[in-house]
Amino acid sequence: MSVLAPPKPSRAAPAPREPRRLGFSQRAGRWDVKLSPYLYISPFFVLFAVTGLFPLAYTAYVSVHDWNLIGGQGDFVGMANFADVVQQPRFMTALRNTFSIFLLSSVPQVLAAIVIAAVLDANLRARTFWRMGVLLPYVVAPVAVSLIFSKLFADESGLINAVLGGLGIDAIRWHADVLASHVAISSMVNFRWTGYNALIFLAAMQAIPRDLYEAAVLDGAGRVRQFFSITVPMLRPTIIFIVITATIGGLQIFDEPRMFDQLGQGGSDRQWMTVTMYLYELGWGSQKSFGKAAAVAWILFLIIVVIGLINFAITRRISSASSAPKPVTSGGKR
């Protein structure tokens, strides 16, 4: 006959522990980890809100009012300022000149900057000297550059026409012809900004892994093939950045065309007057209409946004076709 063991006494469930309260120092440590990154970047956004967003919003408010430089704020006119500005022939002329100068300066500028950066990335003697040398034009004040180039491209006594005359070529009317004036102003922009963009491309090129070039050399690829198959695809983010910044700066050009002659009005027929110069003429010229000037500023802002988005989409689509470098041989086989 089996004897049953006495049942074991059941243990009572442990009482739930009260949650531990964090001390002030521990809470401060957690807040520091979570909030410190936002505090570090907050000065930029605060300054941008004060110097960027507020003027942009205030300009929109001014653009819908009959605002005069002397009389101050007038009646609410809605979109009348925009409609009046768009119908002005000078606005269309300024828009044409802006796009022409932008294309003549930005496209050659980006291409030349990539080539110069590739040369500076090679094993040159006194590399630091050459790299600092390409940045010197950027340090020169834009007013000084404009004054020097306006003399170089003078119609009667300019150095460029003197050289052309020595070659048997007729003198070019740099301040009278539309295309010639755009070429002269674009040369100023390219002179100032090509070296700056070249250093940005150079920094991106130096971040490319060197073993990719070593593998390409073992496969028999030359320098040109390495440039188009490795360097250019790896520069995709930098190219997008340079194109967007060049678009913003090119459409806002003011100093170079303003100082191209002594009057600063964009020529007798406004043949090189840009949109920003037209904005200045509306606000501080004979009309002194801040409302119309603000409308031009907002039209230019919208144009820059649209062109920037188009440039971003195009460059991203083109570069995504060759987003990663592929080992190549001299015969083109992988």
Side-chain angles (χ1 to χ4, degrees):
M1 185 174 181
S2 62
V3 180
L4 297 177
K8 296 181 179 180
S10 60
R11 294 183 179 179
R17 298 178 61 183
E18 295 182 359
R20 181 183 177 184
R21 293 185 178 182
L22 297 177
F24 176 77
S25 60
Q26 293 176 326
R27 288 198 301 268
R30 290 188 176 183
W31 292 342
D32 178 63
V33 173
K34 293 181 179 180
L35 298 179
S36 58
Y38 300 99
L39 293 177
Y40 294 149
I41 63 175
S42 61
F44 166 78
F45 290 98
V46 172
L47 292 176
F48 177 73
V50 174
T51 62
L53 292 181
F54 174 74
L56 188 64
Y58 191 71
T59 303
Y61 176 77
V62 174
S63 66
V64 294
H65 288 81
D66 186 13
W67 205 298
N68 191 270
L69 176 62
I70 299 177
Q73 180 180 354
D75 299 332
F76 175 79
V77 295
M79 303 299 291
N81 287 331
F82 292 87
D84 186 42
V85 164
V86 173
Q87 295 174 2
Q88 295 296 325
R90 284 192 177 180
F91 173 75
M92 302 307 298
T93 301
L95 195 63
R96 179 205 64 183
N97 297 338
T98 301
F99 275 97
S100 176
I101 297 173
F102 159 66
L103 293 176
L104 290 174
S105 59
S106 298
V107 176
Q109 180 186 140
V110 174
L111 297 178
I114 295 178
V115 174
I116 293 174
V119 175
L120 294 176
D121 193 35
N123 293 326
L124 298 176
R125 293 183 178 180
R127 288 181 295 180
T128 304
F129 171 78
W130 297 112
R131 292 173 182 178
M132 294 300 297
V134 298
L135 193 61
L136 289 179
Y138 175 74
V139 180
V140 181
V143 175
V145 174
S146 301
L147 291 175
I148 293 172
F149 273 76
S150 64
K151 300 301 181 182
L152 291 176
F153 290 97
D155 295 338
E156 300 296 335
S157 59
L159 178 61
I160 304 300
N161 279 337
V163 174
L164 294 177
L167 298 176
I169 303 175
D170 296 335
I172 299 176
R173 302 171 60 192
W174 297 105
H175 289 75
D177 297 337
V178 176
L179 182 59
S181 62
H182 294 180
V183 171
I185 295 173
S186 300
S187 64
M188 305 182 202
V189 181
N190 292 332
F191 173 78
R192 289 196 65 238
W193 291 97
T194 300
Y196 175 82
N197 292 330
L199 290 184
I200 296 179
F201 281 123
L202 176 62
M205 289 180 184
Q206 291 181 337
I208 300 175
R210 295 300 166 180
D211 54 354
L212 298 176
Y213 294 101
E214 295 175 358
V217 171
L218 294 177
D219 290 337
R223 290 184 177 271
V224 177
R225 192 59 182 275
Q226 294 176 28
F227 177 77
F228 286 102
S229 299
I230 298 177
T231 305
V232 174
M234 295 294 289
L235 292 178
R236 178 184 62 171
T238 309
I239 292 175
I240 295 175
F241 170 77
I242 293 296
V243 168
I244 293 177
T245 54
T247 300
I248 296 174
L251 295 178
Q252 292 180 344
I253 184 173
F254 178 80
D255 295 333
E256 289 82 359
R258 174 77 175 175
M259 300 299 298
F260 190 54
D261 65 352
Q262 296 180 354
L263 299 178
Q265 297 179 351
S268 57
D269 295 330
R270 304 300 190 269
Q271 56 266 30
W272 68 81
M273 181 181 67
T274 60
V275 175
T276 52
M277 294 179 64
Y278 180 62
L279 185 155
Y280 182 86
E281 183 177 302
L282 286 177
W284 286 269
S286 59
Q287 298 189 26
K288 294 181 174 56
S289 176
F290 275 8
K292 294 179 181 179
V296 174
W298 256 90
I299 292 174
L300 180 61
F301 169 73
L302 296 177
I303 291 175
I304 291 175
V305 170
V306 173
I307 300 299
L309 292 176
I310 293 175
N311 281 342
F312 177 76
I314 293 176
T315 52
R316 187 174 183 180
R317 181 179 296 272
I318 293 175
S319 58
S320 62
S322 56
S323 58
K326 301 176 182 180
V328 295
T329 61
S330 58
K333 297 180 181 180
R334 290 187 292 173

